[in-house]
Amino acid sequence: MRIRDMQDEILRLKKENDVCILAHSYQAREIVEIADFSGDSYQLSVMAQKAPQKTVLMCGVRFMAETVKILSEDKRVFLVNPLAGCPMAEQMEPEMIEYFKKKNPGYTVVAYINTTAELKTVCDVCVTSSTAVKIVKNIPNDKILFIPDCNLGDFVQKQVPKKEIRLLQGGCPIHAAISVRDVEEARRRYPEALLLVHPECVPAVVERADYVGSTSGIMEFAKKSDKREFIIGTESSIAEHLQYTCPDKRFYPLSKKLICPNMKATTLVDVLNVLNGRGGEEIILSAETLAKARKCIDEMIRLGG
Ligand code: 13P
Ligand code: SF4
């Protein structure tokens, strides 16, 4: 079957069965094309609530599908490829955070949305990369424990220096693998280009960037800029989408290492199979997990909206 025919079949089945397809911006081009909406983690959680359909397919990783379920309990939510997890989301366990809270009372626990639903149940508020600075500023407490990404946490600390932000050792293995040497090499190769990076990169890389932001922040910056060349310091799909959206500009991935195998795991065949009732995984969470994790996400939308 040709890609185009498969996409048409997906669009037909989606309409016939009143299904909403959400895709994170790291998804491949052909997936983004059949989605009702694609965007960054924050935008996806807002769209999850707005979607009128009773069934939602998430083309992304597990924590994203869980977030949709937490926000829309009455909907059937499917993770299109059940093997697509985010290693960062699974780095910390609730017991670790409970222990920290017991030993360090008085901290507000801020969880990056890249965490399991179970971990969210012991946290106070979620953030995404596009809302973290604003939300941490708006929290009425100066003592913050920020988990799990210490690079994003360091970035937030620099923007909000008055607050005390405690960090634990966690983060995205894909972004954290980018080194200063990668930056220097890309700068040498593309001397005219601006460097746009995701705050999951290590502080030494972030400090060398011309712009730091979420996946949608990076895309918006590049689209609006009057510059013509950009080095993209986040997952390789972003450079690819930008190249299609702005064919008169040039986009260079900062490194070949910027490929997230989990984000690349979902294929059109997976989507078609789920629509035909033959695959994916329906997200089922206990009533207790849903209620406790929801408080954290509602708080994110309240403080970040
Ligand atoms: P965004 O919140 O910028 O979409 O990032 C999600 C992610 O997984 C980054 O690695
Ligand atoms: Fe997780 Fe990193 Fe992949 Fe994003 S890029 S899904 S944070 S492993």
Side-chain angles (χ1 to χ4, degrees):
M1 206 169 182
R2 294 187 315 164
I3 288 179
R4 218 181 304 157
D5 296 334
M6 198 172 283
Q7 287 179 316
D8 286 345
E9 178 65 356
I10 288 170
L11 294 176
R12 190 187 66 74
L13 285 169
K14 170 167 93 71
K15 198 167 166 203
E16 197 175 283
N17 300 319
D18 197 29
V19 171
C20 170
I21 301 184
L22 297 178
H24 187 266
S25 326
Y26 286 162
Q27 293 292 294
R29 191 77 201 147
E30 66 271 19
I31 302 276
V32 166
E33 282 174 359
I34 49 92
D36 293 87
F37 180 79
S38 74
D40 71 11
S41 308
Y42 185 76
Q43 294 167 327
L44 288 179
S45 38
V46 173
M47 284 312 289
Q49 278 182 310
K50 289 195 180 152
Q53 297 91 337
K54 289 269 168 266
T55 304
V56 179
L57 267 51
M58 172 55 74
C59 301
V61 291
R62 183 170 293 272
F63 78 81
M64 295 176 175
E66 287 184 347
T67 304
V68 176
K69 183 67 186 175
I70 293 164
L71 284 166
S72 327
E73 284 181 39
D74 53 331
K75 292 185 184 166
R76 296 191 73 190
V77 179
F78 292 85
L79 176 62
V80 170
N81 186 324
L83 296 177
C86 165
M88 159 155 49
E90 283 149 33
Q91 280 164 349
M92 287 171 196
E93 284 168 359
E95 294 74 19
M96 265 174 85
I97 306 309
E98 298 279 33
Y99 182 79
F100 176 94
K101 288 203 284 194
K102 211 164 131 198
K103 293 274 167 203
N104 305 275
Y107 280 79
T108 295
V109 182
V110 176
Y112 192 17
I113 202 158
N114 299 34
T115 40
T116 59
E118 197 197 1
L119 188 60
K120 287 181 177 83
T121 63
V122 297
C123 300
D124 298 304
V125 50
C126 277
V127 297
T128 65
S129 57
S130 59
T131 57
V133 171
K134 183 177 178 187
I135 291 174
V136 169
K137 274 186 189 160
N138 286 343
I139 290 171
N141 184 1
D142 285 347
K143 289 164 79 179
I144 307 282
L145 170 68
F146 189 101
I147 59 160
D149 188 348
C150 60
N151 293 330
L152 178 62
D154 178 87
F155 175 72
V156 174
Q157 176 73 87
K158 285 176 179 143
Q159 316 297 310
V160 193
K162 287 205 181 108
K163 298 209 177 194
E164 180 207 335
I165 303 182
R166 296 274 297 269
L167 304 172
L168 301 177
Q169 271 310 314
C172 166
I174 310 298
H175 287 82
I178 303 306
S179 65
V180 171
R181 209 163 281 173
D182 293 319
V183 171
E184 286 168 353
E185 202 182 307
R187 288 274 199 203
R188 229 182 348 263
R189 193 173 295 200
Y190 312 113
E192 300 301 319
L194 291 183
L195 173 65
L196 320 183
V197 310
H198 198 281
E200 287 175 11
C201 293
V202 298
V205 167
V206 166
E207 277 161 23
R208 285 165 173 78
D210 298 300
Y211 172 82
V212 185
S214 72
T215 51
S216 58
I218 289 176
M219 289 205 271
E220 279 311 302
F221 182 95
K223 281 182 215 165
K224 285 191 187 140
S225 170
D226 51 13
K227 292 279 189 309
R228 311 210 65 73
E229 291 183 64
F230 304 87
I231 301 163
I232 304 297
T234 191
E235 216 282 338
S236 62
S237 289
I238 300 300
E240 191 187 343
H241 298 321
L242 279 167
Q243 197 57 81
Y244 279 101
T245 317
C246 312
D248 52 335
K249 296 181 176 178
R250 293 304 306 274
F251 300 95
Y252 314 111
L254 169 54
S255 160
K256 286 185 190 146
K257 290 177 277 188
L258 279 166
I259 294 175
C260 173
N262 285 285
M263 279 291 184
K264 292 282 192 275
T266 304
T267 64
L268 280 181
V269 177
D270 294 330
V271 180
L272 194 56
N273 283 341
V274 181
L275 287 169
N276 281 318
R278 289 200 298 264
E281 180 183 322
E282 181 164 4
I283 301 294
I284 307 286
L285 297 169
S286 73
E288 193 189 348
T289 302
L290 283 169
K292 287 188 177 165
R294 172 140 194 167
K295 274 200 231 147
C296 231
I297 298 178
D298 281 345
E299 198 59 357
M300 167 182 90
I301 294 174
R302 191 179 72 80
L303 293 171

